[in-house]
Amino acid sequence: MKRYLDSNWKDSMRIRVDVNNMMSDAVGARGLSIEEINSLPISGAVAAMHSKREQMKWRELPHNQEEIVAKIEECAKHIQEDFDSFVVLGIGGSALGPIAVHQALSHPKYNELPSFMRKTPKLYVEDNIDPERMEALLDVIDVERTMFNVVTKSGGTSETMSQLLIVTDLLHRELGDDISTNLIATTDKEKGNLVKIAKIENLTTFIVPDGVGGRFSELCPVGLLAAAVCGIDIRELLFGAAYMDEICSNDDVWENPAYILASMQVASMKKGCNIHVMMPYADSLKYISDWYAQLWAESLGKHYDNNGKEIYAGQTPVKALGVTDQHSQVQLYTEGPFDKVITFIGVDQYRTETTIPDGYLDIKDVSFLCGHTQNELIKAEQSATAYAVMKSGHLSNTITLPKVNAFTIGQLLYMFEVMTAFAGELLGLNTFDQPGVEEGKNATYALLGKPGYDQKRMELESAPKAKDEYII
Ligand code: PA5
C-alpha cells in the first residue's frame, strides 16, 4: 500500500504553522493583536473563496487528474528509457515550479550523479534567454538523446518562442523532417501559437487546463511531467496537495494555516511591513522561495483593486537561505527597519544525518561542536535566529515540514497557493491577472517589430529620451 493512503502516516506528515512571533504577546508593540486580525474583512474573503472556487480551477488539480497522471507517467517512462536529458523551455510559472520541486525532491547533485546512480535523465530548466546560457546548454547535451518540453500557457511568450525556434531549427537539422520524437508541447488546449506549431510538427501535447494560470500551474502537466521524468512520485505530490485542500477547507481563520498566514501578512502590510522574507533552513527548499516570490509578487502587486480604486498593493518577496544568509542578511532583519515579516521554513527530520567528528579537542571553541550532528547545528541556528528576530521586535513565523518528501511539498505548494488567493480576497484585488507583466511583454513585441504593435512602438518612441548628463 502506498504510504500516503495510510491516515496515520499522513497525519504524521502534516506541516505545521507557528504564528506566535507575529503577535504582540511575543514581539511587543509592533506585533499584531487578535483585534487587528479580526478587523480584516475575513468573512467576505471566506465567502469569496467558496463562491469563486469553481473559477479557481487550480484548486481541483489534486482531485481531477487521474487520466492525465497515467498519461504523464507513461510518457515519463518512455523518456527515462530512451533519453539522457530532459530540457524544459519556459519562463515564470512555466519554469519556477519544476525547478522548485526538482530541487526539493531529487538528489541535491542530481545532474552530476553518474547515470547508474541517477537512473533518470538529467534535467535542465531553461528559464532565461541569455544567449550564453543557450550555447552552454548545447555544449553539454546530446541533442539526439534529449527530449525537449516547451511549456507556455499562453503559447506566445517571446522568450519561450525564441528558445523553441532555436531548438526546432536544431532538431530539424539533426533529425530531418520528423522532430516529434524529441519535442513535447505543454500549452493551452486551443489558444496561442504553440498549439498550432504542435499540430504542424505532430507533437505529443499536454494541456494546461483552463483557469489554471502560470504561477498556479505546478500541479498540472507543467510541473508533473518534469517531476515524473526525474522519478518523483507525482501521485504522492498530488495527495499531499489534496490533504492540504482538506485542511484549508476550514472556514475558521484560526484553524486554517493558509488563511491565518494570509491574514497576518495583510495585517502586517497595514503596519508597514512591505517585505516578506522567505527563509528555508534546507538547501532542498531554496527554490521554493523563488517559486513563492513569483506567486506572491505577481498575484498581489496590483495598482488597482476590484473597484478600480488605486491601491498600489503588494509585499515584496525576498529570498533568503538559512543558515547561509545569517551571515549576509540577518543583521538587517534584527536591527534594520520594521518593514518586513520573515517566514522561516524548518525540517524536523532531514534525509540524512551527519555527525561532526572529534578533532582539535584542545581548542574548546572548536571542539564544542564535536559529537553533535549538523542536523542539531542547523536546527539550533534556526531557533536561535528566530529568537533573535523575535527579541528585536520584528515579525516572523515558522512553517515546519516533518520531512521533505513529495507529500509535504504538495502540501506546502497548495497551502501557499490558497494563502495567496485568500490574501488577494482580503485586499480586494484580482489575484490571477498580471497587467504589469503584459505591459512589458507588449513593449518587447513593439521593439522587435511584431505585427499589430505599431501604436505601442510609437508610444515607446515618444517616451522621454535619456539625458546624457545622467549617463555617467
Ligand atoms: O503567472 C503567470 O501567468 C506568468 O508569470 C507566466 O507564467 C509567465 O509570463 C509565462 O507565461 P506562459 O506560460 O504563457 O509562457
Side-chain angles (χ1 to χ4, degrees), residues 99-106 283-285 288 351 404-405 409:
I99 295 170
V101 167
H102 174 62
Q103 174 76 10
L105 299 175
S106 299
D283 276 27
S284 60
L285 304 177
I288 294 284
R351 285 166 285 193
V404 176
N405 57 37
I409 293 300

Side-chain angles (χ1 to χ4, degrees), residues 91-94 151-157 160 213-216 294 298 434 437 441:
I91 199 164
S94 297
V151 186
T152 165
K153 158 87 178 168
S154 62
T157 304
T160 307
R215 53 195 177 274
F216 289 83
Q294 186 211 10
E298 217 167 84
Q434 53 282 327
V437 182
K441 282 187 181 181

Side-chain angles (χ1 to χ4, degrees), residues 300-306 308-314 429 433 435-436:
L300 304 182
K302 297 287 155 70
H303 186 165
Y304 299 104
D305 72 8
N306 289 329
K309 186 174 157 230
E310 286 198 314
I311 50 170
Y312 293 105
L429 50 75
D433 66 358

Side-chain angles (χ1 to χ4, degrees), residues 164-220:
L164 177 68
L165 286 163
I166 294 167
V167 166
T168 49
D169 175 61
L170 191 67
L171 288 174
H172 278 302
R173 279 190 278 124
E174 298 237 350
L175 306 177
D177 284 348
D178 183 8
I179 60 170
S180 66
T181 49
N182 291 56
L183 181 60
I184 291 171
T186 304
T187 190
D188 188 88
K189 69 174 183 307
E190 55 192 7
K191 281 186 242 141
N193 297 311
L194 182 54
V195 78
K196 293 181 200 148
I197 295 169
K199 279 191 189 121
I200 295 169
E201 301 288 5
N202 195 25
L203 304 182
T204 299
T205 304
F206 288 95
I207 303 302
V208 187
D210 285 341
V212 177
R215 53 195 177 274
F216 289 83
S217 68
E218 171 51 24
L219 298 174
C220 81

Side-chain angles (χ1 to χ4, degrees), residues 365-386:
D365 284 349
V366 173
S367 64
F368 77 96
L369 294 166
C370 302
H372 288 290
T373 60
Q374 285 196 313
N375 307 54
E376 287 176 273
L377 186 58
I378 194 168
K379 281 192 216 172
E381 294 204 24
Q382 183 194 330
S383 307
T385 304

Side-chain angles (χ1 to χ4, degrees), residues 315-360:
Q315 197 184 36
T316 305
V318 169
K319 302 171 276 182
L321 179 67
V323 303
T324 308
D325 286 309
Q326 285 178 197
H327 298 268
S328 158
Q329 298 180 29
V330 166
Q331 169 63 29
L332 172 73
Y333 299 165
T334 52
E335 295 198 355
F338 291 89
D339 58 357
K340 57 186 77 61
V341 174
I342 299 150
T343 293
F344 299 105
I345 310 184
V347 177
D348 283 338
Q349 211 181 328
Y350 290 82
R351 285 166 285 193
T352 188
E353 186 172 270
T354 304
T355 302
I356 303 166
D358 282 349
Y360 311 106

